[in-house]
């Protein structure tokens, strides 16, 4: 199969919509990361997502809509509760996924057999146009091969999906750069399962009490069940060995400069680069978590293209606000290996 990369012109969106209606897959831009989309109400189409990605079938997908009314129109949930409406009004369209009790029209392949369903209304204009043109809700995981960093450009999707899907719509680089915040309303107290651009602090200001799932910041214990199946899989990992480094500026630089500069790279702040003797990939300014989030996955992909590099050291963010989402992705890329320099 030849994979086409097309700009989001009207006729190309229409072509993509036709592929989706016919049960095919399309690479779709969103403001968080690119998605690999299929008609969410077509079980066969959804099954082919798992094959294209090499994704375990017990890891459920997010259903994307273009207007809030589509939740009830398509029968996606059992009940669209007051709490859910409050969240939707505050954060949609945008990078928040809400988990609710599943409606009957959603095939169980979408939810990995769970009786809950994840729904998101993205803010990316092209994503919404595509959902609207397709005339159905779209199930879409991140459009990477299972285990590799999520794609934030159409080119990243092409690297992973070339030959596996017919079409990718190129909507530019994803602004946020990290996947959506996932919150479940199926627990007594709403619980964040995956942190993202919509922060725990922002969610608490709308809902009051919000819990944070243990798996967000810590490794699951042997035999412990993940509230979100995606949390148990190795994630975002480049081929090189990644370590998170907790330290001040000077110690970070001294530590890196004591390493072999042929095989070591640093994912660092802009201000570090001029002092480092090893290969450095700047993520952004020190306190600019927006830039760091935007650049992270692309930087992890770049690290893998550097000749001879087998070890990557990364600056450790504070696990607050958007920093929590960065920390959550990095700690997984690092297989929970943190080096503290004191
Ligand atoms: O920003 C995003 O959310 C992107 C774009 C394309 O929208 N999508 C994305 O999908 O990141 P994916 O499949 O890579 O991540 C979905 C996460 C997984 O960790 C999955 O386990 C969890 O959401 N999830 C989905 N449905 C769930 C459910 N019913 N209960 C618990 N977790 C669920
Ligand atoms: Mg993913």
């Amino acid at each position: 199969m030849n994979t086409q990369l097309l700009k989001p012109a009207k006729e190309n969106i229409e072509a993509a919509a036709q592929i989706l209606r016919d049960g095919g897959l399309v690479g779709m831009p969103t403001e968080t990361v690119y998605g690999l989309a299929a008609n969410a109400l077509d079980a066969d189409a959804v099954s082919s997502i798992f094959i294209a990605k090499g994704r375990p079938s017990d890891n459920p997908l997010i259903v994307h809509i273009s207007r809030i009314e589509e939740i009830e129109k398509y029968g996606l949930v059992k009940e669209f509760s007051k709490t859910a409406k409050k969240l939707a009004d505050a954060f949609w369209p945008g990078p928040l996924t809400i988990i609710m009790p599943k409606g009957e029209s959603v095939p169980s392949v979408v939810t990995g057999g769970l009786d809950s369903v994840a729904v998101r209304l993205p803010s990316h204009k092209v994503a919404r146009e595509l959902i609207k043109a397709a005339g159905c809700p779209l199930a879409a995981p991140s459009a990477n091969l299972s285990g590799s960093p999520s794609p934030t450009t159409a080119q990243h999707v092409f690297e992973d999906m070339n030959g596996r899907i017919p079409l990718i719509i190129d909507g530019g680089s994803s602004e946020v750069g990290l996947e959506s915040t996932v919150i479940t309303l199926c627990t007594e107290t709403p619980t964040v399962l995956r942190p993202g651009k919509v922060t725990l602090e922002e969610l608490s200001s709308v809902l009051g009490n919000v819990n944070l799932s243990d798996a967000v910041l810590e490794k699951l214990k042997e035999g412990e069940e993940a509230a979100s199946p995606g949390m148990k899989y190795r994630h975002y990992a480049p081929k090189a060995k990644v370590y998170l480094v907790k330290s001040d500026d000077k110690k970070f630089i001294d530590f890196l400069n004591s390493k072999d500069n042929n095989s070591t790279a640093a994912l660092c702040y802009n201000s570090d680069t001029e002092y480092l003797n090893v290969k450095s990939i700047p993520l952004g300014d020190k306190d600019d978590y927006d830039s760091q989030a935007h650049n992270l996955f692309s930087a992890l992909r770049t690290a893998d293209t550097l000749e001879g590099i087998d070890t990557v050291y990364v600056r450790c963010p504070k696990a607050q606000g958007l920093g929590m989402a960065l920390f959550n992705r990095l700690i997984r890329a690092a297989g929970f290996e943190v080096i503290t320099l004191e």
Side-chain angles (χ1 to χ4, degrees), residues 116-178:
S116 58
V117 64
V119 183
R120 177 161 108 81
L121 201 175
S123 65
H124 200 296
K125 195 167 155 266
V126 176
R128 289 211 310 273
E129 279 172 8
L130 183 57
I131 299 162
K132 208 167 151 199
C136 56
L138 299 181
S142 50
N144 52 292
L145 287 174
S146 207
S148 60
S150 294
T152 55
T153 65
Q155 193 53 43
H156 294 162
V157 181
F158 190 79
E159 282 165 19
D160 282 17
M161 291 296 151
N162 184 18
R164 293 170 184 251
I165 61 173
L167 176 60
I168 301 161
I169 298 288
D170 183 352
S173 82
S174 297
E175 194 186 332
V176 176
L178 298 179

Side-chain angles (χ1 to χ4, degrees), residues 3 14 36 44 57 61 88 97 120 133 178 207 223 229 237 248 252 259 277 290 301 310 332:
T3 301
E14 199 28 66
L36 184 59
D44 290 336
S57 62
L61 308 178
T97 295
R120 177 161 108 81
L178 298 179
L207 293 185
D248 64 20
F252 182 77
K259 301 286 169 193
N277 298 332
D290 281 312
R301 281 178 184 258
D310 59 20
R332 282 172 171 69

Side-chain angles (χ1 to χ4, degrees), residues 44-55:
D44 290 336
V46 173
S47 298
S48 63
I49 292 179
F50 290 87
I51 297 166
K53 269 186 71 94
R55 179 173 173 117

Side-chain angles (χ1 to χ4, degrees), residues 182-234:
V182 177
I183 187 168
T184 179
L185 301 181
C186 298
T187 43
E188 210 171 279
T189 305
T191 303
V192 169
L193 302 180
R194 180 174 73 183
K197 171 73 181 161
V198 175
T199 64
L200 185 65
E201 294 82 350
E202 287 171 323
L203 290 164
S204 304
S205 76
V206 171
L207 293 185
N209 206 6
V210 176
N211 287 345
L212 185 64
S213 170
D214 288 347
V216 167
L217 302 176
E218 289 159 34
K219 194 172 180 171
L220 282 173
K221 292 176 198 74
E222 195 81 34
E224 196 177 346
E225 209 171 300
S228 179
M231 286 291 177
K232 73 183 175 207
Y233 296 106
R234 187 178 149 86

